[in-house]
Amino acid sequence: MADSLLRVAMAASSNGFRTRLHDTAVSGVISATTFTGTPQNTADYDPMSMGTLANPGVITVKVDGYYVIASRTSYLGNVDATRMIGTTYHNGSEGVRGSDISGGGASAVVMSTCGMLKLTNGDTIEGVIWVSTGGSTTTAVSTLNTLELAFIGPA
Amino acid sequence: MDATELSAYSVQHNPWHAAMYNAATAQTMAVGGFVQATMDTVEFDPDGMVSGLGGTTAKFTIHQPGVYLICGAVTMAAVADGVRFCSAIYKSGGELARGLDTTPGTTTSIVTSSCAATTTCVNGDTIDIRGQNFTTNEAVHAGQQFVYLSIAYLGPA
């Protein structure tokens, strides 16, 4: 097997380029009409230390390649006629939009996003929420605010 | 190259992933059944799975049997209060998975419905994404992050 092919196969088969973060305690403040990053304070797995536990939580890619990305963000303050967007930022701009909806009554809301992107070393991924009216918080429940990324293959 | 090497190559360095989106092509989805979303741009497609760009036949065609992850979304530009809209991933002409099925509770608004699924595919299967309007014809809100479809091979079936 050619050296380059062997390196690709070994790197891919033993790669640790996968990260999952979630939030259990930090309650992120969401301002109206402002794209706001989702906090993350716990790593489920992060063998290559790509995740930054902060408000907002961020994953920074360390190797070029194709990746599956997923995020989940919640909003406590939903009232009737509030527009809400759940999306994923790639290097500070929208990469994949998951949901763009409006409430038909007062209720909590969770929106999720799943997509695939071609990323390069140093690229960042972040879960983001936007609401049209009112300020509120994320819900700080581990299943409701998550940020995930997994390497599919080399670019 | 022996069988083990070939397997390692095909599984770990597989080219069977692709992504496409609608950057700027106008489309109106008629009320009624599901309408296939127009795509006009390839984001990545190393194995040539994409066809039908620029019209309402944009799709992926499977070249390698296996299990695949599929993610996509359709966005409408202006859905009125109380009007239902949804998206779905289609496999070989049949609905595979329903995405967000929602009815806005506000005045006319942009609506994004996304969908993700895994499925087993065989050679020649096709994958596309569609939207359905239940009350009126609606215009699509084009953009890379608004109307997209991506697929990735996960492993042998």
Side-chain angles (χ1 to χ4, degrees):
Chain A
M1 183 184 293
D3 284 350
S4 59
L5 181 57
L6 180 61
R7 282 196 297 272
V8 167
M10 290 179 67
S13 62
S14 62
N15 85 77
F17 305 115
R18 48 188 178 266
T19 299
R20 187 179 195 276
L21 313 178
H22 71 262
D23 190 58
T24 58
V26 179
S27 193
V29 175
I30 304 166
S31 299
T33 68
T34 302
F35 281 96
T36 304
T38 304
Q40 310 292 343
N41 72 349
T42 304
D44 295 290
Y45 48 82
D46 188 19
M48 293 298 293
S49 299
M50 297 191 292
T52 300
L53 300 175
N55 185 5
V58 175
I59 296 176
T60 304
V61 170
K62 294 188 173 181
V63 65
D64 298 359
Y66 298 102
Y67 288 82
V68 174
I69 60 169
S71 67
R72 190 171 288 101
T73 187
S74 62
Y75 180 53
L76 274 179
N78 178 33
V79 296
D80 190 13
T82 297
R83 182 183 170 197
M84 298 155 285
I85 299 171
T87 188
T88 303
Y89 266 33
H90 172 208
N91 290 339
S93 299
E94 268 202 277
V96 179
R97 179 170 293 194
S99 300
D100 189 336
I101 58 176
S102 61
S107 177
V109 171
V110 177
M111 295 175 287
S112 60
T113 299
C114 183
M116 298 170 211
L117 293 173
K118 184 178 181 180
L119 304 176
T120 57
N121 186 9
D123 280 1
T124 60
I125 296 296
E126 176 186 344
V128 174
I129 187 170
W130 181 97
V131 297
S132 63
T133 58
S136 186
T137 63
T138 55
T139 50
V141 175
S142 62
T143 57
L144 303 186
N145 298 294
T146 61
L147 182 62
E148 304 165 58
L149 173 148
F151 179 84
I152 297 173
Chain B
M1 183 180 291
D2 63 22
T4 301
E5 292 168 342
L6 180 60
S7 176
Y9 178 80
S10 64
V11 173
Q12 305 300 348
H13 189 56
N14 80 74
W16 304 300
H17 39 254
M20 58 183 173
Y21 57 91
N22 182 355
T25 300
Q27 180 184 17
T28 296
M29 291 188 173
V31 64
F34 277 102
V35 176
Q36 199 163 339
T38 292
M39 305 287 176
D40 60 15
T41 307
V42 169
E43 187 170 1
F44 52 84
D45 183 26
D47 197 45
M49 300 168 67
V50 173
S51 64
L53 289 182
T56 55
T57 60
K59 63 182 182 295
F60 301 131
T61 300
I62 301 299
H63 297 160
Q64 171 67 29
V67 178
Y68 285 80
L69 170 66
I70 305 154
C71 306
V74 178
T75 299
M76 294 288 108
V79 180
D81 186 6
V83 174
R84 182 181 169 197
F85 170 72
C86 67
S87 69
I89 291 170
Y90 267 60
K91 174 184 170 184
S92 296
E95 187 178 357
L96 171 68
R98 181 71 58 95
L100 179 70
D101 191 332
T102 186
T103 302
T106 185
T107 53
T108 301
S109 176
I110 290 175
V111 173
T112 298
S113 171
S114 62
C115 188
T118 58
T119 187
T120 300
C121 292
V122 298
N123 279 352
D125 277 349
T126 60
I127 300 291
D128 63 80
I129 190 164
R130 306 183 185 195
Q132 184 172 20
N133 292 298
F134 290 80
T135 304
T136 59
N137 301 341
E138 302 285 356
V140 165
H141 185 71
Q144 181 173 2
Q145 68 272 46
F146 302 127
V147 182
Y148 58 88
L149 186 64
S150 52
I151 187 168
Y153 175 84
L154 299 180

